[in-house]
Amino acid sequence: MTDRTDTPNQEPIPTPNFIGMLIECQEDALAVIADSNKAADVLRIELLGAKSSLSKLTRQIRLVPDADRAQVGTVVNDVKKSIIDAINKKGASKINDLRSSFDPTMPGIRPPEGHLHIVTQAIEEITRIFERISFIRVRHPEVDWDWYAFGALNMPANHPARDEWETFFLETRDKKQATRKMVLTPHTSNGQVREMEKKKLPIRMINIAKCYRRQIDVSHTPMFHQFEGLYIDRNVSIGHLKGVLDYFVKQFFGPERKARIRPFHFQFTEPSFEVDISCGVCNGAGCKLCKQGWLELGGAGMVHPAVLTNGGIDTTKYNGFAFGWGVERCFMMKAGTHLDDIRLLYSNDVRFLRQF
Ligand code: DAH
């Protein structure tokens, strides 16, 4: 489009010339509107705004003879109106195009919806169950000093009991460059002495964390979860332990499931037990997962005095019980799960995970 106002013109403009320039302006503008894909607002600014050729020309209306100014003004208005109409018409046809291809009454497409991983769901459920009897969830390191995982639990260096934990060890150096052993925690029992070190009694903790062992088969994965209960108070008895275990089994598995306690040996409890629950896959008949109808969930017992002493607790006044069970195993033994291979939980197959 030619700009007719590049050089400020102070000479009078004859009326027919001015009207001729206006008509030229109008034709240029209508051609732009017809060819352009720009939005109506953009076109309005470009063709009618203060910097448009039409506005610049209109500002020179004072150079038209006085007598003709009103007539020229009417032409200016007509030109403007025709441009506005053309822009509006174009905008409306665009909206109509859209309207004909878009049906706002059609139902939307629902995006796929995820959910928490089943192990996370189980952890939350376990947390809620223990919360109701005042056992509060705490967190302790999942990579910890050898001391908290073994030494503090009455298993000095080179004690054969350590072999049972198939542990991943890390060699680390302290500030003086001396080697010190750390472990990927093979059980949540490392939280026991750490919790005692907080020096707040009585203790009612539930420590739920990742554990690591060098094992993989239908009932083991190298990373799994445990929950560790610890109760330290005055005059705690095995009866209290049994009460808490029964409470949990009824809440988590349902009133029809059976639990049993078998005498066992752990370095950090005396007496010690293993806790089994009747298998939910075969209902106690024996299957690929449980072999003889019972599945071991983990251990329990009365905290060994050596452990209490390591945690700075006065054993003449306080005693307590502890238990440590596998989260995944608990989930697999739940009614209706029918899960016979623990590795499925971590295979990340959404067809499997979606079922829960
Ligand atoms: N930490 C043991 C394990 O991983 C389980 C265990 C046994 C935990 C006895 C306890 C306990 O708190 O008292 O096999």
Side-chain angles (χ1 to χ4, degrees), residues 156-331:
N158 305 322
H159 194 285
R162 289 173 170 230
D163 293 348
E164 289 161 29
W165 276 274
E166 303 285 345
T167 311
F168 293 100
F169 286 94
L170 306 171
E171 291 266 298
T172 54
R173 290 182 194 283
D174 63 18
K175 284 182 194 148
K176 291 181 190 147
Q177 292 301 305
T179 44
R180 281 184 72 188
K181 270 196 188 137
M182 291 196 96
V183 296
L184 299 188
T185 50
H187 55 177
T188 42
S189 304
N190 68 313
Q192 290 194 17
V193 165
R194 281 192 171 274
E195 192 67 20
M196 293 174 200
E197 286 176 350
K198 290 184 184 168
K199 302 248 172 278
K200 277 193 197 138
L201 290 167
I203 292 170
R204 278 190 214 90
M205 85 158 189
I206 197 86
N207 172 32
I208 312 182
K210 290 189 182 69
C211 300
Y212 303 86
R213 293 190 197 178
R214 292 179 288 109
Q215 281 180 327
I216 184 157
D217 58 41
V218 284
S219 50
H220 297 93
T221 46
M223 188 285 300
F224 59 102
H225 297 79
Q226 281 189 347
F227 57 101
E228 183 91 10
L230 179 68
Y231 177 46
I232 307 287
D233 206 342
R234 291 171 193 264
N235 304 319
V236 180
S237 73
I238 296 176
H240 294 127
L241 168 63
K242 189 72 175 32
V244 168
L245 298 186
D246 284 344
Y247 161 80
F248 176 75
V249 168
K250 297 271 175 282
Q251 293 282 315
F252 191 80
F253 299 100
E256 72 293 345
R257 301 297 290 279
K258 283 177 273 175
R260 72 175 184 191
I261 283 179
R262 270 181 294 114
F264 202 72
H265 173 261
F266 292 105
Q267 277 295 110
F268 37 95
T269 41
E270 183 56 41
S272 304
F273 311 101
E274 254 189 355
V275 184
D276 298 337
I277 182 153
S278 56
C279 177
V281 174
C282 64
N283 282 325
C287 68
K288 177 175 148 192
L289 177 70
C290 66
K291 310 224 165 51
Q292 283 163 357
W294 294 93
L295 196 90
E296 171 219 321
L297 288 176
M302 302 305 289
V303 181
H304 196 289
V307 178
L308 292 170
T309 307
N310 286 333
I313 289 180
D314 181 349
T315 52
T316 61
K317 291 191 183 131
Y318 290 95
N319 70 337
F321 66 72
F323 57 90
W325 293 7
V327 172
E328 288 82 352
R329 281 172 179 238
C330 280
F331 177 78

Side-chain angles (χ1 to χ4, degrees), residues 71-184:
Q71 184 205 346
V72 172
T74 316
V75 178
V76 169
N77 286 341
D78 288 349
V79 167
K80 269 193 190 160
K81 188 167 179 316
S82 71
I83 296 174
I84 292 170
D85 286 351
I87 293 175
N88 289 346
K89 205 164 149 205
K90 179 127 189 189
S93 80
K94 259 196 192 164
I95 290 171
N96 280 338
D97 281 357
L98 266 181
R99 273 203 189 120
S100 61
S101 65
F102 176 68
D103 177 357
T105 62
M106 287 225 319
I109 302 164
R110 191 182 267 271
E113 211 174 278
H115 61 70
L116 292 178
H117 190 276
I118 41 188
V119 172
T120 309
Q121 290 178 31
I123 288 175
E124 294 204 341
E125 187 179 352
I126 293 164
T127 308
R128 300 286 95 79
I129 291 173
F130 281 105
E131 226 168 50
R132 292 201 283 275
I133 53 168
S134 300
F135 278 67
I136 303 305
R137 184 175 181 194
V138 294
R139 307 298 296 257
H140 289 294
E142 290 168 352
V143 181
D144 207 350
W145 298 111
D146 176 278
W147 164 254
Y148 289 106
F150 294 118
L153 297 174
N154 203 25
M155 286 181 274
N158 305 322
H159 194 285
R162 289 173 170 230
D163 293 348
E164 289 161 29
W165 276 274
E166 303 285 345
T167 311
F168 293 100
F169 286 94
L170 306 171
E171 291 266 298
T172 54
R173 290 182 194 283
D174 63 18
K175 284 182 194 148
K176 291 181 190 147
Q177 292 301 305
T179 44
R180 281 184 72 188
K181 270 196 188 137
M182 291 196 96
V183 296
L184 299 188

